[in-house]
Amino acid sequence: MFQINDNYQKLPGSYLFSTIGKKVAAFSEAHPDKSIIRLGIGDVTQPLAPAIIEAMHKAVDEMADAKTFRGYAPDLGYEFLRKAISDNDYKARGCDIEADEIFVSDGAKSDSGNIQEIFAQDNRIAVCDPVYPVYVDSNVMAGRTGTYDAATGMWSNVIYMPCTRENNFVPEFPKETPDMIYLCLPNNPTGTTITKAQLQEWVDYANKVGAVIIYDGAYEAYITEDNVAHSIYECEGAKTCAIELKSFSKNAGFTGVRLGYTVVPKELKCGDVSLHGMWARRHGTKFNGAPYIIQRAGEAVYSDAGKAQLKEQVAYYMKNAATIKSGLQEAGFEVYGGVNAPYIWLKTPEKMTSWEFFDYLLEKANVVGTPGSGFGPSGEGYFRLTAFGSYENTVAALERIKAL
């Protein structure tokens, strides 16, 4: 008789945002007259920029002509997009990343879940706490995390790096030595980040102990401070210890279009084995390439018009972030984030748990956010709001919260 992967049975409950969706759907069904404002999931709301739409239309027309029709895309990505990424995201910032070290995919979430496949099962992972759930959950599925303690919300074989207000939500080097270190900077969910000098310390640490850093830079476009790195490869020595994940979802609104990429430098090796070669084999075996139309849309992100239009779009969301942060502070909340990321991290009031505050906000203000405990044990007692709604809805949500 066939057997299942028992590691899936270890996962506690359903995926965080699935649980939120079910709770909101139940509330809507019970209260059809209530107008709900969603500031929970990090999904964008502004339409794709005109330069991107124009590129997509042009690519669609090409697909209608036998002379310009494209079939299977190169599984590692079209050269035109990989070169645009290399030139704009890396070489323009002084990072020596070549086009053939870039692997185009259908999004950073897929890559952040799949990247662990090229590492041995007995590797120990270190994660910031709180953290984006996919990092831990995908390693649970792989059988790498040990046993789950429901009382603490922790896995026995995971090294947690608490990010709390006591350390300004910045991870500290773990007491135990990890093999894989997950860093998301600017951070989801806390919205905080570290300086380039601090990031250099992590690179030096990883090279010293022989660990690999899985660096999620999905929110890089929202960085406003000059001393914050836009890529880990701005740090000396990063090419021998770091894999970088990037997304078009938040910087260009591709959440419904799907496009991302992963950088695996050729210098990154385990002994004599190239991780670049391993990821190329995994990618080529299990992925048939992002669609041509979408990759042309990605190329347009780097056009002069695309850059200008997306700069305005990012500014729109960051205006929302500033509105949320100042509004909550005026209402007496303890608030963090909102400077280098589109996330606001707030302390729940009156010793409410994260889920108690979720229910309270939904029932009393009809506003949806994300319970901090869903991101890990150190997230308990905190709550995340996103700046990805419309400005009008953002203002309305703050008015409702202030009225509580």
Side-chain angles (χ1 to χ4, degrees):
M1 182 176 176
F2 69 86
Q3 301 293 315
I4 63 168
N5 180 350
D6 283 333
N7 293 313
Y8 279 69
Q9 304 304 109
K10 299 176 183 177
L11 291 164
S14 60
Y15 183 57
L16 171 62
F17 296 105
S18 299
T19 302
I20 290 172
K22 291 174 184 176
K23 290 176 78 76
V24 174
F27 180 84
S28 296
E29 185 176 352
H31 305 88
D33 58 321
K34 300 294 185 182
S35 173
I36 296 175
I37 298 177
R38 301 170 189 265
L39 300 179
I41 192 169
D43 195 1
V44 297
T45 54
Q46 295 299 295
L48 294 173
I52 294 169
I53 292 295
E54 182 181 348
M56 292 178 75
H57 279 300
K58 183 179 178 182
V60 168
D61 290 339
E62 289 181 41
M63 298 296 274
D65 188 331
K67 296 178 182 178
T68 51
F69 172 79
R70 308 284 184 122
Y72 286 123
D75 48 27
L76 306 186
Y78 280 103
E79 178 65 20
F80 62 77
L81 178 57
R82 297 168 88 188
K83 186 177 187 306
I85 293 169
S86 173
D87 289 347
N88 290 274
D89 287 349
Y90 294 101
K91 292 185 177 178
R93 296 192 177 111
C95 305
D96 184 24
I97 297 296
E98 299 297 331
D100 62 359
E101 294 177 299
I102 296 164
F103 299 82
V104 176
S105 71
D106 61 354
K109 181 178 181 179
S110 299
D111 287 350
S112 65
N114 293 330
I115 195 68
Q116 52 79 27
E117 289 188 23
I118 66 174
F119 296 99
Q121 189 177 35
D122 59 357
N123 280 343
R124 291 199 68 188
I125 69 168
V127 296
C128 296
D129 175 32
V131 72
Y132 182 46
V134 172
Y135 309 149
V136 174
D137 287 0
S138 59
N139 279 283
V140 173
M141 294 171 179
R144 196 175 283 117
T145 55
T147 57
Y148 182 70
D149 185 339
T152 63
M154 302 174 78
W155 293 89
S156 62
N157 205 39
V158 173
I159 299 171
Y160 291 88
M161 301 181 291
C163 298
T164 65
R165 59 181 169 181
E166 285 73 27
N167 61 12
N168 296 314
F169 302 99
V170 171
E172 299 171 357
F173 297 132
K175 293 181 176 62
E176 301 175 83
T177 302
D179 302 298
M180 301 161 61
I181 303 167
Y182 285 82
L183 294 178
C184 176
L185 298 165
N187 184 259
N188 175 18
T190 65
T192 56
T193 194
I194 61 178
T195 66
K196 182 178 176 179
Q198 288 173 308
L199 185 58
Q200 181 66 60
E201 292 177 1
W202 278 98
V203 169
D204 294 341
Y205 170 80
N207 277 317
K208 179 181 178 181
V209 303
V212 63
I213 297 173
I214 311 297
Y215 190 81
D216 186 345
Y219 302 96
E220 165 271 322
Y222 293 85
I223 293 172
T224 62
E225 296 178 316
D226 293 335
N227 64 343
V228 177
H230 287 257
S231 167
I232 195 168
Y233 301 116
E234 293 179 39
C235 297
E236 185 178 352
K239 292 181 70 176
T240 58
C241 71
I243 293 172
E244 185 163 274
L245 315 174
K246 287 285 186 73
S247 169
F248 286 79
S249 288
K250 305 306 192 296
N251 68 321
F254 277 39
T255 55
V257 177
R258 308 308 306 145
L259 191 66
Y261 65 86
T262 290
V263 177
V264 186
K266 294 177 183 177
E267 295 174 31
L268 181 56
K269 296 182 179 181
C270 179
D272 294 329
V273 179
S274 165
L275 271 67
H276 178 275
M278 290 184 69
W279 186 244
R281 181 57 192 268
R282 189 267 169 207
H283 206 63
T285 300
K286 294 191 174 185
F287 186 62
N288 249 0
Y292 172 71
I293 296 167
I294 306 306
Q295 293 198 50
R296 281 297 186 192
E299 181 187 31
V301 166
Y302 300 102
S303 68
D304 290 341
K307 289 178 181 178
Q309 292 162 10
L310 293 177
K311 185 176 181 180
E312 291 181 4
Q313 199 167 89
V314 167
Y316 177 92
Y317 291 130
M318 289 308 287
K319 179 182 178 182
N320 288 350
T323 299
I324 296 171
K325 187 169 187 175
S326 62
L328 289 174
Q329 288 173 331
E330 290 171 10
F333 286 90
E334 184 180 318
V335 189
Y336 305 91
V339 176
N340 292 299
Y343 293 122
I344 304 299
W345 190 243
L346 62 128
K347 191 81 178 69
T348 57
E350 301 175 2
K351 297 183 179 180
M352 285 186 182
T353 68
S354 298
W355 279 107
E356 286 172 348
F357 187 64
F358 173 89
D359 292 334
Y360 175 75
L361 210 59
L362 177 60
E363 293 170 7
K364 302 298 183 182
N366 308 146
V367 172
V368 178
T370 308
S373 59
F375 297 100
S378 291
E380 180 56 83
Y382 289 88
F383 202 76
R384 192 193 76 175
L385 293 176
T386 82
F388 288 121
S390 69
Y391 179 71
E392 293 75 19
N393 278 348
T394 299
V395 171
L398 265 295
E399 290 176 350
R400 293 182 186 182
I401 294 172
K402 288 180 179 180
L404 292 174

